Amino acid sequence: MTANSRCSAAEPPGLETQRREIESLLRECELRAGDSWYVVEHRWFEQWKEFVDGGDQNSSSFPGQIDNSDLFEDLDSYHLKERLVENEDFVLVPAEAWHKLLAWYGMVDSQPPLERKVVDLPSTLKVEVYPVEVFLCLHSNMENVITAQFSRTDNIQSIQRAMCQSFSVPSGSECRLWMKSSDTNCERLRNIHMSVLDTCLSSGMTVIMETRNADGTWPSSRPQIMRNSVEDQDSYRGQPGVCGLTNLGNTCFMNSALQCLSNTPPLTEYFLQSSYLEELNFTNPLGMKGEIAEAYADVIKQMWSGRHYSVVPRVFKTKVGHFASQFLGYQQHDSQELLSFLLDGLHEDLNRVKNKEYIELRDADGRPDQEVAEEAWRNHRRRNDSVIVDTFHGLFKSTLVCPECHKVSVTFDPFCYLSIPLPVSKERVMEVFFVSLDPHAKPVQHRVVVPKAGKVSDLCLALSEMTAVPPTQMVVADVFNHRFYRIYSDDESLSCILDRDDIFVYELSVLEEQDQVLLALYLRERSHYRDYGSGSSSYGTTLFGHPLLLNVRRSSCTQHTHTFDLSWRKRRRRMTKRSCTGLRPMASVMVSSAPAAPSFSCCCCCCYSHQNVSLDQLSGLSSHLARCVSSDEQQEAADELRPSQTELSCSETSTNSRSDDTATAAPPPDINHKQPSLDREEEKEENKQEEACSPSPPPNEQPAKRRACHKRRKSLFTIQAVNSNGTTERGTGEGGSAVSFSSQPYVAIDWDPDMKKRFYNENEAEKYVKHSSMEVPQQQATVQLQECIELFTTVETLEEENPWYCPVCKKHQLATKKLDLWSLPEVLIIHLKRFSYTKFTREKLDSIVEFPLRDLDFSGCLLRKSLSNGEPPSCYDLIAVSNHYGGLRDGHYTSYAMNKDNGQWYYFDDSKVTFATEDQIVTNAAYVLFYHRQDKMRKPTLANPSTGPAPSRSANDITSCKDDDAELGAASYVTMETD
């Protein structure tokens, strides 16, 4: 019997039986999502009902073959008419009833059966009479469009199969679909297992299919021509995998991790063979909807196409930042942290377990290790089954012992990589500058060894052994940007001081009085113009040079009239004789704890008070200025206020960086000046020289005129009270209120710019000498990888921040913990813990870890000394290394990796790739090591290339769309930027 024939091999049942069976099916059949129902023309069904109700087989009301002609717009396309109404234009019958009617009456020739699916709409079940009708086309030829209908319950994979069949796409081609929701924008149909209803695909929309290019990219990565056009492939043909990664801005950490994973053979082959497409897990709540796996696959396929010098991993970077906010932006991060996130993300995106069951973990309770380990691994695989687990996961044994009740808890836990510690020295080498009280001594750079957990007093004690200065006469400060960033107390921890800080240790004078103040002294240069914009009449100032610290008697600073002896006699010897009488440095000082500001003035050329604030108290200032003020040989002024033609150029050399730029300068010769005694006779002699140097006034010049001329002479500098930043507080300008000595006092010497240029030698001020300790080369610590692994398995006591809850004691205990290796993965990742972050310290260990390139044997480290039949050996060969250069605050990541196809080592530095030799790999920059188990390694399939230098590869060589394509206009292409 044919489907469209009324005749059948067996006669249909009686009319009453037909009526009863169909009515029963219509009455009892319920709508269930996914079931099929059929559309029957209402007029034909009503005539059938009349026929069976009459009970006459020969009645003229016989309906004939099922005919739905009235439901179609035309009989060529059999497109259903719009706005048909149920029970007026058609009726719906369940599949079983339809097949009975079709068997009894047949169907008009060539008419298709109108099968419709039951869809589960929000809050209701409904037969979709009108399915989704969409337009289908290929991305390479978007003018060739066909129309197809799909049920809302169909998945996207059914559309993909229909398109592959309709457009003759070769089998095995990797393709993906886009849903065109507007004229120019498309949305990726990422999950091919989702239904049409869930993807919001509706009638009238277009579905575009694209297939991956030979170079690993997708056509949608740039605008494509709708006409039949074929892209010119890049002419470059290189070794697959030997491809750089463009630095997008501090993304070297990401590039380093990607290069290491890219050269991990089992993982790369898994993606190159597109095995991931069948294992993408879009429903895993712990995953990233398959987006991380797809973004990683795109990068790998481009890198291993052999058609790129360098790849721009912009989409991958965006996806990582979307799912891990810590990697948003363009700050520097840790390659191991990125690697940890990526391996976990790939695992969850590719987890073959769709519904994770709850498993209650059991303690060993005295059971054999083998039994507990096998149980733990089975439980792990019941919830975690992916290529990441197959390749990178191992098992270690964790043993905890309660210090009180001695309860022993044994568990076996999986791991994806081993983070092993490096031996840490208990000592620390610090470089500091010592500023002596000697007026002519330059700062001396010392290298001292101190306890790593020591205090600032330990630093002073170590420096005292080199300088013979008692540690009680030292104060330690951090100098930054010409000011004191921090002044340390003796009991502060040395962990507060970082290696890059500029640390100065100042020698202090000994005062008999107990009531003394540590005075901080800054050097500032006044501007030529007053700062009218700030609402004050004071001058603007700029810090320069090195600040000073000195002891001052507190009691002397509370008096209203005292002279500051700035040891002008010493400075005068460094200046010209003419200038010594022409300059009158007036010191307007406001450094009192009294409510009113005392004004101190000093005519330093003729006033020598050794009382109160004396030379002994301000010896630090004296020595600094004695070294910095220009000498007689450097200053030969033609007259007292005109700069000399032979004057040295003293340009400002300071910067805003905290780096020690002076450390690279050659140390000047250490000139030891003999300090002359300042006795009465010498003082008289100097006064005579001053009189000789001074121009004689005309006989008829009046004393008042001489005083007025004397008043107009410029002062060399003034002294001002400031805050810790070196700025004058509002209201404490010249003649303002005083700064209280109840806190750390700060004073600034404000130089007149013209006077500073003439008489302050900045080159001399910046000089320093190196102590012999700086010439001793620092020993580079070297450890063996085996030592680090043994340290990893050493018994340790838990920290107070991470105690263990003892089930016997019913409280948290600082138990002892021991880790042992039980089973190792195919690819073993070893993370060297170079960065140490604790509550009190932060440091990077630059020790050289000697790790083998071949035959790394773990048989002595495994807890199981004998392997059962079928278990793999424990020998590994190195395949990749992630390197970190620099310190804690900054640095750069690169990588070494061995190509799986030719066995050649390469050095990857962002977009640059060069050949590498095995003797270059072991350095103190090695950070993350990748080892491949020997039984899984395959021999290279290609000959090893020449070991000569390979040409650097740049991301600028990436080809882009031709200009000819752009001339076709914006309407000729569609951009898919939402990927």
Side-chain angles (χ1 to χ4, degrees), residues 360-376 379 397-400 407-413 804 807:
E360 185 175 356
L361 300 179
R362 298 170 54 197
D363 195 70
D365 289 332
R367 293 182 293 161
D369 285 349
Q370 185 72 27
E371 177 185 342
V372 180
E374 291 177 354
E375 177 187 78
N379 291 338
K397 176 186 177 182
S398 175
T399 305
L400 290 168
K407 160 69 178 175
V408 179
S409 174
V410 176
T411 58
F412 286 81
D413 303 305
W804 170 65

PDB file of all heavy atoms in Angstrom, residues 360-376 379 397-400 407-413 804 807:
ATOM      1  N   GLU A 360      30.653  12.182  49.387  1.00  0.00           N
ATOM      2  CA  GLU A 360      31.173  12.460  50.725  1.00  0.00           C
ATOM      3  C   GLU A 360      32.540  11.815  50.880  1.00  0.00           C
ATOM      4  O   GLU A 360      32.701  10.606  50.692  1.00  0.00           O
ATOM      5  CB  GLU A 360      30.220  11.922  51.789  1.00  0.00           C
ATOM      6  CG  GLU A 360      30.636  12.287  53.207  1.00  0.00           C
ATOM      7  CD  GLU A 360      29.620  11.854  54.242  1.00  0.00           C
ATOM      8  OE1 GLU A 360      28.553  11.327  53.839  1.00  0.00           O
ATOM      9  OE2 GLU A 360      29.879  12.043  55.449  1.00  0.00           O
ATOM     10  N   LEU A 361      33.529  12.646  51.194  1.00  0.00           N
ATOM     11  CA  LEU A 361      34.893  12.155  51.317  1.00  0.00           C
ATOM     12  C   LEU A 361      35.083  11.455  52.650  1.00  0.00           C
ATOM     13  O   LEU A 361      34.541  11.868  53.669  1.00  0.00           O
ATOM     14  CB  LEU A 361      35.883  13.319  51.179  1.00  0.00           C
ATOM     15  CG  LEU A 361      35.835  14.100  49.862  1.00  0.00           C
ATOM     16  CD1 LEU A 361      36.847  15.226  49.878  1.00  0.00           C
ATOM     17  CD2 LEU A 361      36.081  13.172  48.674  1.00  0.00           C
ATOM     18  N   ARG A 362      35.856  10.402  52.615  1.00  0.00           N
ATOM     19  CA  ARG A 362      36.113   9.607  53.818  1.00  0.00           C
ATOM     20  C   ARG A 362      37.579   9.716  54.197  1.00  0.00           C
ATOM     21  O   ARG A 362      38.469   9.822  53.343  1.00  0.00           O
ATOM     22  CB  ARG A 362      35.769   8.134  53.574  1.00  0.00           C
ATOM     23  CG  ARG A 362      34.317   7.869  53.242  1.00  0.00           C
ATOM     24  CD  ARG A 362      34.155   6.415  52.792  1.00  0.00           C
ATOM     25  NE  ARG A 362      34.707   5.490  53.782  1.00  0.00           N
ATOM     26  CZ  ARG A 362      35.004   4.219  53.510  1.00  0.00           C
ATOM     27  NH1 ARG A 362      34.828   3.741  52.280  1.00  0.00           N
ATOM     28  NH2 ARG A 362      35.488   3.430  54.458  1.00  0.00           N
ATOM     29  N   ASP A 363      37.822   9.679  55.514  1.00  0.00           N
ATOM     30  CA  ASP A 363      39.197   9.640  55.997  1.00  0.00           C
ATOM     31  C   ASP A 363      39.724   8.218  55.884  1.00  0.00           C
ATOM     32  O   ASP A 363      38.964   7.252  55.727  1.00  0.00           O
ATOM     33  CB  ASP A 363      39.255  10.104  57.449  1.00  0.00           C
ATOM     34  CG  ASP A 363      40.678  10.428  57.867  1.00  0.00           C
ATOM     35  OD1 ASP A 363      41.223  11.438  57.383  1.00  0.00           O
ATOM     36  OD2 ASP A 363      41.229   9.663  58.676  1.00  0.00           O
ATOM     37  N   ALA A 364      41.040   8.071  55.935  1.00  0.00           N
ATOM     38  CA  ALA A 364      41.637   6.744  55.775  1.00  0.00           C
ATOM     39  C   ALA A 364      41.216   5.791  56.888  1.00  0.00           C
ATOM     40  O   ALA A 364      40.918   4.618  56.636  1.00  0.00           O
ATOM     41  CB  ALA A 364      43.157   6.868  55.726  1.00  0.00           C
ATOM     42  N   ASP A 365      41.207   6.292  58.142  1.00  0.00           N
ATOM     43  CA  ASP A 365      40.816   5.465  59.292  1.00  0.00           C
ATOM     44  C   ASP A 365      41.594   4.155  59.338  1.00  0.00           C
ATOM     45  O   ASP A 365      41.036   3.080  59.576  1.00  0.00           O
ATOM     46  CB  ASP A 365      39.310   5.170  59.279  1.00  0.00           C
ATOM     47  CG  ASP A 365      38.500   6.411  59.603  1.00  0.00           C
ATOM     48  OD1 ASP A 365      39.022   7.291  60.318  1.00  0.00           O
ATOM     49  OD2 ASP A 365      37.355   6.510  59.129  1.00  0.00           O
ATOM     50  N   GLY A 366      42.873   4.229  59.082  1.00  0.00           N
ATOM     51  CA  GLY A 366      43.711   3.042  59.194  1.00  0.00           C
ATOM     52  C   GLY A 366      43.717   2.135  57.993  1.00  0.00           C
ATOM     53  O   GLY A 366      44.419   1.113  57.992  1.00  0.00           O
ATOM     54  N   ARG A 367      42.969   2.433  56.958  1.00  0.00           N
ATOM     55  CA  ARG A 367      42.953   1.582  55.764  1.00  0.00           C
ATOM     56  C   ARG A 367      44.279   1.695  55.016  1.00  0.00           C
ATOM     57  O   ARG A 367      44.984   2.702  55.126  1.00  0.00           O
ATOM     58  CB  ARG A 367      41.798   1.980  54.845  1.00  0.00           C
ATOM     59  CG  ARG A 367      40.410   1.702  55.420  1.00  0.00           C
ATOM     60  CD  ARG A 367      39.332   2.094  54.410  1.00  0.00           C
ATOM     61  NE  ARG A 367      39.310   3.540  54.205  1.00  0.00           N
ATOM     62  CZ  ARG A 367      38.746   4.127  53.150  1.00  0.00           C
ATOM     63  NH1 ARG A 367      38.188   3.377  52.201  1.00  0.00           N
ATOM     64  NH2 ARG A 367      38.738   5.434  53.035  1.00  0.00           N
ATOM     65  N   PRO A 368      44.621   0.705  54.199  1.00  0.00           N
ATOM     66  CA  PRO A 368      45.877   0.756  53.427  1.00  0.00           C
ATOM     67  C   PRO A 368      45.880   1.947  52.471  1.00  0.00           C
ATOM     68  O   PRO A 368      44.841   2.336  51.924  1.00  0.00           O
ATOM     69  CB  PRO A 368      45.902  -0.575  52.673  1.00  0.00           C
ATOM     70  CG  PRO A 368      44.998  -1.464  53.448  1.00  0.00           C
ATOM     71  CD  PRO A 368      43.930  -0.593  54.033  1.00  0.00           C
ATOM     72  N   ASP A 369      47.061   2.492  52.277  1.00  0.00           N
ATOM     73  CA  ASP A 369      47.178   3.648  51.392  1.00  0.00           C
ATOM     74  C   ASP A 369      46.682   3.351  49.987  1.00  0.00           C
ATOM     75  O   ASP A 369      46.048   4.198  49.343  1.00  0.00           O
ATOM     76  CB  ASP A 369      48.636   4.112  51.345  1.00  0.00           C
ATOM     77  CG  ASP A 369      49.037   4.841  52.616  1.00  0.00           C
ATOM     78  OD1 ASP A 369      48.142   5.155  53.426  1.00  0.00           O
ATOM     79  OD2 ASP A 369      50.251   5.092  52.797  1.00  0.00           O
ATOM     80  N   GLN A 370      46.991   2.163  49.470  1.00  0.00           N
ATOM     81  CA  GLN A 370      46.585   1.821  48.113  1.00  0.00           C
ATOM     82  C   GLN A 370      45.073   1.890  47.964  1.00  0.00           C
ATOM     83  O   GLN A 370      44.545   2.430  46.983  1.00  0.00           O
ATOM     84  CB  GLN A 370      47.089   0.415  47.764  1.00  0.00           C
ATOM     85  CG  GLN A 370      46.838  -0.019  46.325  1.00  0.00           C
ATOM     86  CD  GLN A 370      47.726   0.719  45.333  1.00  0.00           C
ATOM     87  OE1 GLN A 370      48.818   1.163  45.682  1.00  0.00           O
ATOM     88  NE2 GLN A 370      47.258   0.852  44.104  1.00  0.00           N
ATOM     89  N   GLU A 371      44.367   1.378  48.932  1.00  0.00           N
ATOM     90  CA  GLU A 371      42.905   1.380  48.881  1.00  0.00           C
ATOM     91  C   GLU A 371      42.345   2.795  48.951  1.00  0.00           C
ATOM     92  O   GLU A 371      41.448   3.172  48.181  1.00  0.00           O
ATOM     93  CB  GLU A 371      42.355   0.544  50.037  1.00  0.00           C
ATOM     94  CG  GLU A 371      40.828   0.540  50.134  1.00  0.00           C
ATOM     95  CD  GLU A 371      40.337  -0.196  51.360  1.00  0.00           C
ATOM     96  OE1 GLU A 371      41.111  -0.986  51.944  1.00  0.00           O
ATOM     97  OE2 GLU A 371      39.156   0.027  51.746  1.00  0.00           O
ATOM     98  N   VAL A 372      42.884   3.600  49.861  1.00  0.00           N
ATOM     99  CA  VAL A 372      42.394   4.971  50.016  1.00  0.00           C
ATOM    100  C   VAL A 372      42.719   5.801  48.770  1.00  0.00           C
ATOM    101  O   VAL A 372      41.904   6.606  48.321  1.00  0.00           O
ATOM    102  CB  VAL A 372      43.008   5.608  51.275  1.00  0.00           C
ATOM    103  CG1 VAL A 372      42.496   7.040  51.454  1.00  0.00           C
ATOM    104  CG2 VAL A 372      42.683   4.776  52.505  1.00  0.00           C
ATOM    105  N   ALA A 373      43.896   5.606  48.198  1.00  0.00           N
ATOM    106  CA  ALA A 373      44.292   6.358  47.008  1.00  0.00           C
ATOM    107  C   ALA A 373      43.404   6.020  45.818  1.00  0.00           C
ATOM    108  O   ALA A 373      42.968   6.915  45.079  1.00  0.00           O
ATOM    109  CB  ALA A 373      45.753   6.080  46.683  1.00  0.00           C
ATOM    110  N   GLU A 374      43.146   4.747  45.600  1.00  0.00           N
ATOM    111  CA  GLU A 374      42.293   4.346  44.479  1.00  0.00           C
ATOM    112  C   GLU A 374      40.871   4.891  44.658  1.00  0.00           C
ATOM    113  O   GLU A 374      40.238   5.314  43.688  1.00  0.00           O
ATOM    114  CB  GLU A 374      42.277   2.825  44.364  1.00  0.00           C
ATOM    115  CG  GLU A 374      43.606   2.242  43.901  1.00  0.00           C
ATOM    116  CD  GLU A 374      43.583   0.730  43.865  1.00  0.00           C
ATOM    117  OE1 GLU A 374      42.559   0.141  44.306  1.00  0.00           O
ATOM    118  OE2 GLU A 374      44.577   0.125  43.408  1.00  0.00           O
ATOM    119  N   GLU A 375      40.371   4.894  45.881  1.00  0.00           N
ATOM    120  CA  GLU A 375      39.042   5.435  46.140  1.00  0.00           C
ATOM    121  C   GLU A 375      39.004   6.937  45.866  1.00  0.00           C
ATOM    122  O   GLU A 375      38.055   7.450  45.248  1.00  0.00           O
ATOM    123  CB  GLU A 375      38.644   5.153  47.584  1.00  0.00           C
ATOM    124  CG  GLU A 375      37.295   5.733  47.990  1.00  0.00           C
ATOM    125  CD  GLU A 375      37.032   5.559  49.468  1.00  0.00           C
ATOM    126  OE1 GLU A 375      37.601   6.348  50.269  1.00  0.00           O
ATOM    127  OE2 GLU A 375      36.258   4.649  49.823  1.00  0.00           O
ATOM    128  N   ALA A 376      40.042   7.648  46.300  1.00  0.00           N
ATOM    129  CA  ALA A 376      40.093   9.094  46.075  1.00  0.00           C
ATOM    130  C   ALA A 376      40.159   9.431  44.595  1.00  0.00           C
ATOM    131  O   ALA A 376      39.509  10.373  44.130  1.00  0.00           O
ATOM    132  CB  ALA A 376      41.304   9.690  46.812  1.00  0.00           C
ATOM    133  N   ASN A 379      36.716   8.813  42.969  1.00  0.00           N
ATOM    134  CA  ASN A 379      35.788   9.897  43.311  1.00  0.00           C
ATOM    135  C   ASN A 379      36.105  11.174  42.546  1.00  0.00           C
ATOM    136  O   ASN A 379      35.193  11.902  42.128  1.00  0.00           O
ATOM    137  CB  ASN A 379      35.844  10.169  44.817  1.00  0.00           C
ATOM    138  CG  ASN A 379      35.268   9.037  45.635  1.00  0.00           C
ATOM    139  OD1 ASN A 379      34.465   8.225  45.130  1.00  0.00           O
ATOM    140  ND2 ASN A 379      35.660   8.950  46.905  1.00  0.00           N
ATOM    141  N   LYS A 397      49.579  12.470  48.831  1.00  0.00           N
ATOM    142  CA  LYS A 397      49.064  12.068  50.133  1.00  0.00           C
ATOM    143  C   LYS A 397      49.323  13.184  51.136  1.00  0.00           C
ATOM    144  O   LYS A 397      50.422  13.720  51.218  1.00  0.00           O
ATOM    145  CB  LYS A 397      49.740  10.778  50.597  1.00  0.00           C
ATOM    146  CG  LYS A 397      49.333  10.316  51.993  1.00  0.00           C
ATOM    147  CD  LYS A 397      50.146   9.110  52.427  1.00  0.00           C
ATOM    148  CE  LYS A 397      49.804   8.682  53.847  1.00  0.00           C
ATOM    149  NZ  LYS A 397      50.627   7.537  54.291  1.00  0.00           N
ATOM    150  N   SER A 398      48.290  13.519  51.910  1.00  0.00           N
ATOM    151  CA  SER A 398      48.395  14.553  52.933  1.00  0.00           C
ATOM    152  C   SER A 398      48.171  13.917  54.296  1.00  0.00           C
ATOM    153  O   SER A 398      47.140  13.270  54.529  1.00  0.00           O
ATOM    154  CB  SER A 398      47.361  15.655  52.693  1.00  0.00           C
ATOM    155  OG  SER A 398      47.382  16.602  53.730  1.00  0.00           O
ATOM    156  N   THR A 399      49.132  14.117  55.194  1.00  0.00           N
ATOM    157  CA  THR A 399      49.061  13.536  56.535  1.00  0.00           C
ATOM    158  C   THR A 399      49.091  14.661  57.561  1.00  0.00           C
ATOM    159  O   THR A 399      50.045  15.449  57.599  1.00  0.00           O
ATOM    160  CB  THR A 399      50.231  12.575  56.786  1.00  0.00           C
ATOM    161  OG1 THR A 399      50.257  11.579  55.759  1.00  0.00           O
ATOM    162  CG2 THR A 399      50.089  11.905  58.134  1.00  0.00           C
ATOM    163  N   LEU A 400      48.051  14.735  58.395  1.00  0.00           N
ATOM    164  CA  LEU A 400      47.949  15.722  59.455  1.00  0.00           C
ATOM    165  C   LEU A 400      47.978  15.015  60.804  1.00  0.00           C
ATOM    166  O   LEU A 400      47.308  13.999  60.983  1.00  0.00           O
ATOM    167  CB  LEU A 400      46.659  16.531  59.325  1.00  0.00           C
ATOM    168  CG  LEU A 400      46.574  17.511  58.143  1.00  0.00           C
ATOM    169  CD1 LEU A 400      45.164  18.010  57.958  1.00  0.00           C
ATOM    170  CD2 LEU A 400      47.527  18.668  58.349  1.00  0.00           C
ATOM    171  N   LYS A 407      45.958  12.557  66.925  1.00  0.00           N
ATOM    172  CA  LYS A 407      45.088  12.009  65.889  1.00  0.00           C
ATOM    173  C   LYS A 407      45.768  12.163  64.527  1.00  0.00           C
ATOM    174  O   LYS A 407      46.272  13.241  64.169  1.00  0.00           O
ATOM    175  CB  LYS A 407      43.753  12.746  65.900  1.00  0.00           C
ATOM    176  CG  LYS A 407      42.932  12.651  64.629  1.00  0.00           C
ATOM    177  CD  LYS A 407      42.372  11.254  64.393  1.00  0.00           C
ATOM    178  CE  LYS A 407      41.516  11.237  63.123  1.00  0.00           C
ATOM    179  NZ  LYS A 407      41.045   9.880  62.793  1.00  0.00           N
ATOM    180  N   VAL A 408      45.793  11.101  63.731  1.00  0.00           N
ATOM    181  CA  VAL A 408      46.417  11.103  62.413  1.00  0.00           C
ATOM    182  C   VAL A 408      45.316  11.083  61.352  1.00  0.00           C
ATOM    183  O   VAL A 408      44.477  10.181  61.342  1.00  0.00           O
ATOM    184  CB  VAL A 408      47.360   9.905  62.229  1.00  0.00           C
ATOM    185  CG1 VAL A 408      47.973   9.930  60.822  1.00  0.00           C
ATOM    186  CG2 VAL A 408      48.458   9.927  63.285  1.00  0.00           C
ATOM    187  N   SER A 409      45.304  12.080  60.504  1.00  0.00           N
ATOM    188  CA  SER A 409      44.328  12.168  59.419  1.00  0.00           C
ATOM    189  C   SER A 409      45.065  12.047  58.094  1.00  0.00           C
ATOM    190  O   SER A 409      45.985  12.821  57.807  1.00  0.00           O
ATOM    191  CB  SER A 409      43.570  13.500  59.483  1.00  0.00           C
ATOM    192  OG  SER A 409      42.716  13.648  58.367  1.00  0.00           O
ATOM    193  N   VAL A 410      44.655  11.079  57.284  1.00  0.00           N
ATOM    194  CA  VAL A 410      45.293  10.824  55.992  1.00  0.00           C
ATOM    195  C   VAL A 410      44.263  11.009  54.886  1.00  0.00           C
ATOM    196  O   VAL A 410      43.184  10.401  54.927  1.00  0.00           O
ATOM    197  CB  VAL A 410      45.891   9.413  55.922  1.00  0.00           C
ATOM    198  CG1 VAL A 410      46.467   9.153  54.528  1.00  0.00           C
ATOM    199  CG2 VAL A 410      46.984   9.256  56.977  1.00  0.00           C
ATOM    200  N   THR A 411      44.569  11.854  53.925  1.00  0.00           N
ATOM    201  CA  THR A 411      43.714  12.030  52.740  1.00  0.00           C
ATOM    202  C   THR A 411      44.595  12.030  51.501  1.00  0.00           C
ATOM    203  O   THR A 411      45.798  12.340  51.567  1.00  0.00           O
ATOM    204  CB  THR A 411      42.932  13.351  52.804  1.00  0.00           C
ATOM    205  OG1 THR A 411      43.863  14.444  52.919  1.00  0.00           O
ATOM    206  CG2 THR A 411      41.960  13.369  53.977  1.00  0.00           C
ATOM    207  N   PHE A 412      43.990  11.698  50.381  1.00  0.00           N
ATOM    208  CA  PHE A 412      44.668  11.744  49.089  1.00  0.00           C
ATOM    209  C   PHE A 412      43.960  12.789  48.230  1.00  0.00           C
ATOM    210  O   PHE A 412      42.750  12.695  48.006  1.00  0.00           O
ATOM    211  CB  PHE A 412      44.658  10.370  48.412  1.00  0.00           C
ATOM    212  CG  PHE A 412      45.609   9.395  49.022  1.00  0.00           C
ATOM    213  CD1 PHE A 412      45.270   8.698  50.172  1.00  0.00           C
ATOM    214  CD2 PHE A 412      46.858   9.187  48.462  1.00  0.00           C
ATOM    215  CE1 PHE A 412      46.146   7.802  50.742  1.00  0.00           C
ATOM    216  CE2 PHE A 412      47.748   8.292  49.029  1.00  0.00           C
ATOM    217  CZ  PHE A 412      47.397   7.598  50.173  1.00  0.00           C
ATOM    218  N   ASP A 413      44.712  13.770  47.776  1.00  0.00           N
ATOM    219  CA  ASP A 413      44.140  14.912  47.065  1.00  0.00           C
ATOM    220  C   ASP A 413      44.768  15.034  45.684  1.00  0.00           C
ATOM    221  O   ASP A 413      45.973  14.839  45.515  1.00  0.00           O
ATOM    222  CB  ASP A 413      44.377  16.196  47.851  1.00  0.00           C
ATOM    223  CG  ASP A 413      43.807  16.115  49.261  1.00  0.00           C
ATOM    224  OD1 ASP A 413      42.611  15.823  49.389  1.00  0.00           O
ATOM    225  OD2 ASP A 413      44.571  16.332  50.219  1.00  0.00           O
ATOM    226  N   TRP A 804      43.918  23.509  61.681  1.00  0.00           N
ATOM    227  CA  TRP A 804      43.156  22.307  61.283  1.00  0.00           C
ATOM    228  C   TRP A 804      42.201  21.940  62.418  1.00  0.00           C
ATOM    229  O   TRP A 804      42.581  21.933  63.594  1.00  0.00           O
ATOM    230  CB  TRP A 804      44.120  21.157  60.992  1.00  0.00           C
ATOM    231  CG  TRP A 804      43.447  19.834  60.799  1.00  0.00           C
ATOM    232  CD1 TRP A 804      42.600  19.483  59.794  1.00  0.00           C
ATOM    233  CD2 TRP A 804      43.572  18.671  61.622  1.00  0.00           C
ATOM    234  NE1 TRP A 804      42.189  18.186  59.936  1.00  0.00           N
ATOM    235  CE2 TRP A 804      42.764  17.654  61.054  1.00  0.00           C
ATOM    236  CE3 TRP A 804      44.297  18.382  62.791  1.00  0.00           C
ATOM    237  CZ2 TRP A 804      42.659  16.383  61.604  1.00  0.00           C
ATOM    238  CZ3 TRP A 804      44.189  17.117  63.336  1.00  0.00           C
ATOM    239  CH2 TRP A 804      43.374  16.129  62.749  1.00  0.00           C
ATOM    240  N   PRO A 807      38.917  16.361  64.721  1.00  0.00           N
ATOM    241  CA  PRO A 807      37.618  15.760  65.051  1.00  0.00           C
ATOM    242  C   PRO A 807      37.584  15.109  66.427  1.00  0.00           C
ATOM    243  O   PRO A 807      36.502  14.836  66.956  1.00  0.00           O
ATOM    244  CB  PRO A 807      37.429  14.728  63.938  1.00  0.00           C
ATOM    245  CG  PRO A 807      38.804  14.384  63.488  1.00  0.00           C
ATOM    246  CD  PRO A 807      39.617  15.623  63.645  1.00  0.00           C
TER     247      PRO A 807
END
